[in-house]
Amino acid sequence: MAGCGAGLCCCCCPRCCGERESRTPEELTILGETHEEEDEILPRKDYESLDYDRCINDPYLEVLESMDNKKARKYEAVKWVMVFAIGVCTGLVGLFVDFFVRLFTQLKFRVVQSSVEECTEKGCLALSLLELLGFNLTFVFLASLLVLIQPVAAGSGIPEIKCYLNGVKVPGVVRLRTVVCKAMGVLFSVAGGLFVGKEGPMIHSGAVVGAGLPQFQSISLRKIQFNFPYFRSDRDKRDFVSAGAAAGVAAAFGAPIGGTLFSLEEGSSFWNQGLTWKVLFCSMAATFTLNFFRSGIQFGSWGSFQLPGLLNFGEFKCSESDKKCHLWTAVDLGFFILMGIVGGLLGATFNCLNKRLAKYRMRNVHPKPKLVRVLESLLVSLTTTVVVFVASMILGECRQMSSTSHSGNDTLSVQGMSEDVNSSIKTFFCPNETYNDMATLFFNPQESAILQLFHQDGTFSPVTLSLFFLLYFLLSCWTYGISVPSGLFVPSLLCGAAFGRLVANLLKSYIGLDHIYSGTFALIGAAAFLGGVIRMTISLTVILIESTNEITYGLPIMITLMVAKWTGDFFNKGIYDIHVNLRGVPLLEWETEVEMDKLRASDIMEPNLTYVYPHTRIQSLVSILRTTVHHAFPVVTENRGNEREFMKGNQLISNNIKFKKSSILTRAGEQRKRSQSMKSYPSSELRNMCDEHITTEEPPEKEDLLQQMLERRYTPYPNLYPDQSPSEEWTMEERFRPLTFHGLILRSQLVTLLVRGVCYSESQSSASQPRLSHAEMSEDYPRYPDIHDLDLTLLNPRMIVDVTPYMNPSPFAVSPNTHVSQVFNLFRTMGLRHLPVVNAVGEIVGIITRHNLTHEFLQARLRQHYQTI
């Protein structure tokens, strides 16, 4: 049966390949398979959704009743402490990565530089290349081994965190083992000379810290567990993950506001003012923690706060001797728009090539033994090292060191830089008083190369910049996606900065625009290419402004990013969205297309339901849980006209019908309740009115008038045995009988009730059933017991479970006539997991999950709608 769960496994077996050719695109979409003609990977059904909505059941209400103002303030204070701790720990993770990357990189370049200088005279440069290969291959091999331990640590982690904040549970993405492999692996990847950055993995690391720290337990360290009853829900966990991801951005770029906007723009579907403050506070804590320790370690001036982030763009300013120089003028905006267009085209090309490489890896590398992934990483490292060495030796241009290279615009007087730009100039393979411009870019850390392009004046020839851009573009595109932790921010910035610097050189040389500031064009080029690749606008604008510490760059950066995004979106999606789609994750966009409003909730819902009754035998619950993979079940009762006859002689059916009657709200009953409360008023008229309403009693056992109006066929009440409920022998009318909807109960809640023996016998009242507190219900979060691990010998199959105290009696629901856009907005903004469709008389007619709202599924339903018309 299809139904309520967000995680259905509908995988095609080899025997079905013959049938697959005859399947329609709609069937392929529903099954989550690949459309062969378009080579499109459709959303998979085995991803479980997170539930941001609160389950307002009896245990939760008991917690609320015991919650006074003092406890509420304590709870809020604990949450602020956790947010601060997440920021501090994320900053310390960034400090760890930065310290060892610097240590290993300086060691490698010091050894290789001395070898190159010695072998240039002796003619043994092959030995220098072997030394460089030894360092790089060793570091990359270690990074690949760490990914083999935890495969989800590969890549930047931003697509996975984006999915998590969107409401999809990606297995292993926020585990302690993941952050350890991620942090250690990225420092080896960067130190190994791969064209990757450490800023993207910092976002993933911060998110893992946010998910794990407030839980005070870890599956990797089972012995470390504390009795900490707070934050045991998906709602709290997603809030902390949002804060951790923002802290990762803040630590990477020294941009706390940009980090907050990143979580808002790229991740979370639900947002409020309180969460904004907490995320900003967490970002500030991460920024200043990293700044405090980096400034103290590098400068010895503790508390000076000179290094705000892992990547700092430096201070952009014209030379004091050049009075005609301006950072940018209104005329330059035209060039920036053109650069945005070119950046969007380049970004679209980058994404297209990387998507093809990713598909090739999925077909030819990932199915093979894991050692093949390590060999691919080593091949990329080998190629990158050889290209860098040979390009610096053959393609590099030896340029004369001028006296101006030691003063004026060349010297970087930037907050937090331990060395000026000129100290990173490389003289590899060049005679005295000259330097190698290609080696200056290749044989430096990527952050130093970015500073070179931003702040050096006249040191790179157009040929060198063109070759550097081409090589870096191709190698970084090949590198992103291999089995090592790798970020894309810094490679994109460096590639774009070379493009922008090339534009500035051409404008100066061939058009005669000597007044332009080369650093500004390098910055705009970096923004254009980065925006064309990742397609971020708001947060990326603020991140770049905070990194430059120059607010006047706000307008050109924003215009460039918008133009780059619009141009790139014309061809394909951003790189992170592409990798999300390649994984088949059912990600929900911000809104649906306008034409989707031709569909209603009844067009996209799943009417074939697996449900439970308010009072159900254990044998039936076990059968349902073991034979389905749904993650939630509607709690229903059946509508019938001869209920009194069914109540005789069967305590189980009697309890279900009594619960149905007690839960039905009528206008007369509501008026009677209000009349009771109105009797306290002193007015004699109100008292008389109350007395009048009270004396008007409804006749007992009155036949339901609504049931008389609804002429329906009622089938016998099914026996609640595993082999008969649900039964494959039921007719269509029996299978889709009218069901009164009372609430939703999760699979995890049902399993918890069975494990803890919450039940009563048929000879007893349901009041004798043991009661579980909210803490007991959430004690096993987030890894609840599995029904297949349950020892059935400990259970009495004839016992009955009353699920009504633990179900959610008031979930969000929609009418069958609700437009798809309204359904989509409700589902996404409220962070729902299941959305029941209830008709005008309170009967559940279907259910909507995340998979029913994916773009591919809606497109398939829209095609069916057109065919019906």
Side-chain angles (χ1 to χ4, degrees), residues 744-764:
L744 279 176
I745 189 163
L746 300 178
R747 166 182 287 268
S748 58
Q749 294 172 325
L750 290 177
V751 176
T752 300
L753 295 179
L754 294 176
V755 169
R756 294 182 177 270
V758 178
C759 56
Y760 68 97
S761 65
E762 194 168 357
S763 60
Q764 298 175 325

Side-chain angles (χ1 to χ4, degrees), residues 227-281:
N227 186 17
F228 192 69
Y230 300 103
F231 319 127
R232 314 294 292 175
S233 67
D234 287 343
R235 184 185 186 92
D236 292 325
K237 195 169 186 177
R238 281 180 67 184
D239 288 346
F240 287 126
V241 170
S242 299
V249 176
F253 298 97
I257 301 176
T260 304
L261 293 176
F262 174 85
S263 286
L264 174 61
E265 179 183 7
E266 285 296 307
S268 300
S269 58
F270 183 84
W271 205 263
N272 55 41
Q273 184 180 9
L275 182 60
T276 303
W277 273 111
K278 293 181 180 66
V279 170
L280 180 60
F281 180 66

Side-chain angles (χ1 to χ4, degrees), residues 403-421:
S403 58
T404 58
S405 65
H406 297 278
S407 61
N409 189 40
D410 297 339
T411 302
L412 182 66
S413 56
V414 188
Q415 293 182 359
M417 296 306 300
S418 60
E419 57 183 7
D420 62 21
V421 174

Side-chain angles (χ1 to χ4, degrees), residues 581-843:
N581 293 337
L582 289 176
R583 289 174 172 83
V585 180
L587 192 74
L588 299 184
E589 302 295 338
W590 281 101
E591 57 187 6
T592 60
E593 299 175 358
V594 177
E595 63 176 350
M596 294 303 172
D597 261 347
K598 297 176 183 178
L599 300 174
R600 306 295 179 96
S602 57
D603 296 322
I604 65 172
M605 71 181 186
E606 176 53 61
N608 197 5
L609 303 176
T610 301
Y611 49 85
V612 299
Y613 298 101
H615 299 263
T616 308
R617 295 194 191 278
I618 286 180
Q619 193 170 1
S620 182
L621 287 180
V622 171
S623 175
I624 292 173
L625 292 172
R626 286 202 165 191
T627 56
T628 66
V629 292
H630 310 322
H631 291 279
F633 304 91
V635 181
V636 301
T637 53
E638 300 187 17
N639 298 333
R640 59 185 71 256
N642 52 349
E643 290 177 341
R644 291 186 62 188
E645 298 180 6
F646 282 98
M647 292 176 65
K648 296 179 181 180
N650 193 318
Q651 182 66 27
L652 175 61
I653 296 178
S654 176
N655 288 341
N656 283 326
I657 295 177
K658 286 180 181 179
F659 172 78
K660 171 193 169 183
K661 289 189 173 183
S662 65
S663 63
I664 293 178
L665 179 67
T666 62
R667 290 194 300 159
E670 183 66 17
Q671 182 62 40
R672 199 179 299 109
K673 186 195 305 182
R674 296 186 181 186
S675 299
Q676 293 288 347
S677 62
M678 291 169 64
K679 293 185 66 175
S680 59
Y681 284 87
S683 172
S684 59
E685 295 182 1
L686 288 177
R687 285 200 300 271
N688 294 335
M689 184 184 301
C690 296
D691 295 338
E692 181 179 348
H693 282 295
I694 293 174
T695 57
T696 307
E697 296 183 357
E698 185 176 350
E701 305 299 331
K702 178 181 178 182
E703 187 175 3
D704 195 343
L705 296 179
L706 181 61
Q707 296 300 328
Q708 295 179 3
M709 298 171 59
L710 299 175
E711 297 180 359
R712 288 177 175 155
R713 171 191 172 192
Y714 296 98
T715 56
Y717 200 92
N719 295 323
L720 297 181
Y721 295 108
D723 57 342
Q724 296 178 350
S725 177
S727 173
E728 295 297 334
E729 299 177 356
W730 285 354
T731 64
M732 183 64 70
E733 290 79 7
E734 291 172 336
R735 183 178 297 277
F736 293 94
R737 58 171 54 89
L739 302 170
T740 299
F741 179 67
H742 298 286
L744 279 176
I745 189 163
L746 300 178
R747 166 182 287 268
S748 58
Q749 294 172 325
L750 290 177
V751 176
T752 300
L753 295 179
L754 294 176
V755 169
R756 294 182 177 270
V758 178
C759 56
Y760 68 97
S761 65
E762 194 168 357
S763 60
Q764 298 175 325
S765 169
S766 60
S768 62
Q769 176 177 278
R771 298 294 295 268
L772 295 182
S773 65
H774 185 267
E776 291 174 324
M777 289 292 294
S778 59
E779 181 179 353
D780 295 321
Y781 178 85
R783 297 173 183 86
Y784 291 101
D786 188 84
I787 185 62
H788 297 282
D789 299 331
L790 191 62
D791 188 0
L792 298 181
T793 59
L794 302 178
L795 301 176
N796 184 352
R798 299 290 299 174
M799 298 290 281
I800 303 172
V801 178
D802 179 9
V803 302
T804 57
Y806 307 99
M807 71 179 184
N808 185 0
S810 55
F812 287 96
V814 293
S815 165
N817 294 323
T818 308
H819 290 279
V820 163
S821 62
Q822 295 173 294
V823 175
F824 187 92
N825 291 335
L826 175 64
F827 195 97
R828 191 187 193 282
T829 55
M830 300 311 299
L832 303 182
R833 187 176 183 180
H834 310 89
L835 185 60
V837 182
V838 182
N839 64 15
V841 294
E843 297 171 351

